[in-house]
Amino acid sequence: MSKLFFSARWPQALFFFMVLNLSVVKANEYDTRFEPDVVFYGDDGVKIAGNVFLPVPKTINEKFPAIVFVNSWSLDENEYLVQAKRFAKEGFIVLSYSARGWGESGGLVNVGGPQDMQDFSSAVDWLMTHTPADENNLGAAGISYGGGMSLLAAANDDRVKAVASMSGWADLLEALYGGESADLVWGSLLVGSGYLTGNMDPIILQQFQNILTNNDIEQVRDWARLRSPMTFIDEYNQRGTAIYISNNLRDELFEPNSMVDFYEALETPKKLDLNLGNHATTELVGLIGLRSHIWDNVHDWFKLHLQAEDINLEPAVSIAIKFTEERDNFSSWPSADIETKTFHLGARNWFFNGSLRDSPYTYNDSNHFHSGYWSGANAGTHVLSSILEAYVDIHIYNIIYFMSRDLAIVYQGERLSSEMSIRGAPELDLWIKPSRSEAQVIAYLYDVDAWGNGKLISHAPIAVRDVEPNQPLQVNLSLYFTAYDVPAGHSLALALDTHDAQYAPPTLQSYEINIPYGVGFDSQLTLPFVK
């Protein structure tokens, strides 16, 4: 029995309708031909299903640049019909295929492993044998699963000249186990939907269980390293692979931090767009034919690098600003336009909150809070809140005064005399004394108005394991990359607690987190901002 209606064959009538609606031919565009039932085989004989759009040649023996699209998780090769036809009209051959384990393809889901890489090379071989594809101008692209796969394919097949990765990943373990905190919500969604819509390799569930239980993590790390584009940064740089990256600032699955690190490490032609929204939400609108600056950039990227068109794709880095219609543009990243400001955490005494200070807190002191649920600090309703935040302007608020001072601690700064435009990943260097060998801290950064309403700017978790109880330990965490303008007259607040529903706790036993202060225990929050 086939896997549910949203699996191998989505409602194709909808896509064909949209493709037909995009069929008006403009000057210099190509007529196109569509072959819906492409089949080729992996090295182990597994059948891979795909489709191909081809421009109709205008001259004898005309060759065309080619792009290979790989499906998103739980979807199939029909995902890209609208954009594939648009590319074909522009003079590209586009082969889309379902990676093994998805759609009508055989085999088991391989998550970008060696079998997937062999299948991609087989797809390229099929293109070169059965179409007038130019072997010197080959691209790879995809969203989410396809975005990561396209990057990995470029590292494993030197025929790939240019890549467009949308909502992909750079470090797979970081995505699912960042800060040594298991992503319970998205990990469960991926595994659950995979079993509903694909043919999962049992190792995937086993690896997720290992992450949840912190079991055999070195083996998980090795498995994930082979499937992480960051591992292959030297290959991209040596080959000069042109890489376009689109990711979303509130992507709860593939948080932007590691992809920004990947971008920084590239020494190739590159472009980075950071957008509003959750995982893949911004890129998906282009799949149904709606106007999308991301897809416009993808088309221009391949025109520039595979067709040698004279296209200006500056700026190199474009970042959407939360709760505005604006974007900030930078010629490079890290940018010389970014400065940092460091706040030092000061103890709370008989006042309600600790402080965010301009100078270190030099008195020997300590505060503590306990593990537990519902401290009043949280990152919203997962998946839903980030979408509402981006597209309906419904903010994630927590009232600072109502946060439990037993289950959390809050540090608040003075009101800002001028607007502070935060751009980048806030860094927290924190001293803690956990009462157990396993513990977790969730850090939340807020913009606080005069009434104590805290609007979430960013957050991140970090867990510690196998540490000596009640001994001082410095932990370092990067809050998730953001672009946010804190108005003049508002203040910043940092809240720390031990639980957020998105992350699996390292232990279900109760514990206490003690924060020491004084000489040698200077905890600091560093914020990047536009000069």
Side-chain angles (χ1 to χ4, degrees):
M1 183 176 177
S2 62
K3 298 274 188 179
L4 301 185
F5 72 94
F6 49 168
S7 140
R9 297 285 172 185
W10 327 0
Q12 294 183 22
L14 172 63
F15 282 90
F16 280 110
F17 174 76
M18 292 178 176
V19 169
L20 289 173
N21 280 343
L22 295 176
S23 62
V24 178
V25 178
K26 299 178 182 178
N28 300 320
E29 286 189 344
Y30 287 84
D31 292 330
T32 63
R33 181 165 57 88
F34 179 56
E35 296 181 8
D37 297 313
V38 168
V39 173
F40 56 93
Y41 295 89
D43 284 359
D44 56 357
V46 166
K47 183 189 87 169
I48 305 297
N51 60 56
V52 64
F53 270 98
L54 302 104
V56 176
K58 296 180 179 180
T59 60
I60 297 175
N61 297 325
E62 187 173 7
K63 291 272 191 178
F64 298 97
I67 306 169
V68 179
F69 277 91
V70 187
N71 64 294
S72 301
W73 189 268
S74 288
L75 302 181
D76 67 11
E77 74 271 14
N78 295 301
E79 176 181 359
Y80 303 105
L81 287 175
V82 171
Q83 291 297 336
K85 175 155 184 151
R86 179 182 166 190
F87 271 113
K89 291 166 70 174
E90 294 168 345
F92 294 90
I93 296 172
V94 180
L95 171 65
S96 302
Y97 74 90
S98 297
R100 60 174 56 214
W102 301 110
E104 296 299 313
S105 292
L108 300 176
V109 175
N110 195 230
V111 196
Q115 291 174 320
D116 272 327
M117 296 302 97
Q118 291 170 1
D119 293 343
F120 182 91
S121 293
S122 295
V124 175
D125 293 341
W126 185 93
L127 269 175
M128 299 308 163
T129 302
H130 295 86
T131 73
D134 179 356
E135 62 181 6
N136 296 314
N137 285 294
L138 176 69
I143 298 173
S144 185
Y145 190 64
M149 291 270 280
S150 60
L151 284 173
L152 290 167
N156 284 274
D157 193 320
D158 61 10
R159 292 174 290 184
V160 178
K161 184 178 179 181
V163 175
S165 173
M166 295 166 275
S167 282
W169 70 88
D171 185 324
L172 189 58
L173 189 63
E174 178 71 18
L176 296 176
Y177 197 57
E180 296 194 24
S181 297
D183 192 329
L184 179 62
V185 173
W186 276 96
S188 299
L189 285 173
L190 287 176
V191 173
S193 62
Y195 274 100
L196 285 172
T197 62
N199 294 308
M200 295 278 278
D201 188 327
I203 190 63
I204 298 170
L205 176 58
Q206 181 60 58
Q207 300 294 33
F208 183 49
Q209 291 173 336
N210 287 341
I211 287 172
L212 289 177
T213 59
N214 193 46
N215 179 57
D216 205 4
I217 292 299
E218 281 308 309
Q219 180 273 135
V220 178
R221 196 179 306 278
D222 291 341
W223 181 85
R225 186 181 295 113
L226 184 65
R227 293 160 167 82
S228 297
M230 183 63 87
T231 303
F232 304 101
I233 197 71
D234 289 342
E235 280 79 354
Y236 305 118
N237 289 337
Q238 290 167 8
R239 296 171 185 169
T241 311
I243 297 178
Y244 169 78
I245 298 166
S246 168
N247 273 72
N248 300 325
L249 291 174
R250 279 304 309 274
D251 190 330
E252 295 171 349
L253 174 56
F254 300 141
E255 298 285 355
N257 293 33
S258 63
M259 190 57 88
V260 173
D261 291 342
F262 176 75
Y263 177 86
E264 291 180 16
L266 287 172
E267 299 171 356
T268 70
K270 58 184 180 177
K271 180 173 174 57
L272 173 65
D273 281 337
L274 294 175
N275 317 292
L276 303 179
N278 205 326
H279 180 66
T281 54
T282 308
E283 296 88 344
L284 285 175
V285 297
L287 293 181
I288 58 174
L290 299 178
R291 184 63 183 270
S292 164
H293 83 276
I294 295 170
W295 279 100
D296 288 346
N297 283 340
V298 171
H299 282 261
D300 285 346
W301 190 253
F302 286 129
K303 288 177 183 177
L304 174 64
H305 293 287
L306 302 184
Q307 290 182 327
E309 284 196 24
D310 185 12
I311 294 176
N312 181 7
L313 279 175
E314 294 296 332
V317 177
S318 179
I319 305 173
I321 304 172
K322 292 179 70 171
F323 310 123
T324 75
E325 300 293 327
E326 300 175 359
R327 302 180 73 90
D328 256 0
N329 298 319
F330 301 90
S331 60
S332 62
W333 195 271
S335 171
D337 297 328
I338 300 295
E339 292 186 348
T340 59
K341 179 173 177 59
T342 296
F343 295 92
H344 304 265
L345 276 57
R348 68 182 181 197
N349 40 43
W350 60 276
F351 289 105
F352 206 43
N353 296 330
S355 58
L356 294 177
R357 305 160 44 89
D358 289 333
S359 60
Y361 190 87
T362 57
Y363 298 100
N364 293 327
D365 205 341
S366 66
N367 296 135
H368 68 270
F369 57 99
H370 297 93
S371 63
Y373 301 90
W374 318 123
S375 73
N378 62 73
T381 302
H382 300 295
V383 183
L384 178 62
S385 289
S386 57
I387 294 174
L388 294 176
E389 179 186 76
Y391 303 114
V392 192
D393 207 25
I394 297 177
H395 307 163
I396 300 170
Y397 279 110
N398 295 135
I399 301 175
I400 300 299
Y401 300 137
F402 289 171
M403 291 180 183
S404 167
R405 267 46 179 186
D406 181 56
L407 301 180
I409 186 168
V410 177
Y411 302 91
Q412 189 166 355
E414 300 294 329
R415 293 187 182 183
L416 299 177
S417 58
S418 60
E419 181 179 84
M420 186 177 194
S421 299
I422 299 172
R423 303 290 185 269
E427 301 283 342
L428 178 61
D429 295 322
L430 180 68
W431 284 97
I432 60 173
K433 291 182 180 180
S435 65
R436 287 192 179 275
S437 58
E438 286 82 30
Q440 182 171 252
V441 174
I442 315 290
Y444 306 87
L445 180 63
Y446 292 100
D447 162 17
V448 184
D449 65 18
W451 304 100
N453 296 312
K455 188 188 299 184
L456 185 69
I457 299 173
S458 184
H459 80 287
I462 190 165
V464 295
R465 304 171 192 276
D466 301 321
V467 300
E468 189 173 350
N470 300 311
Q471 294 301 307
L473 172 70
Q474 187 178 35
V475 295
N476 312 100
L477 69 156
S478 295
L479 277 67
Y480 299 133
F481 193 107
T482 190
Y484 184 96
D485 295 335
V486 184
H490 287 205
S491 61
L492 292 164
L494 175 73
L496 306 176
D497 73 3
T498 63
H499 176 79
D500 192 284
Q502 181 169 344
Y503 310 105
T507 178
L508 296 179
Q509 295 180 302
S510 62
Y511 56 88
E512 179 181 287
I513 297 287
N514 191 289
I515 310 291
Y517 308 95
V519 177
F521 299 110
D522 182 23
S523 295
Q524 302 179 4
L525 172 68
T526 302
L527 301 182
F529 67 97
V530 177
K531 294 179 182 179

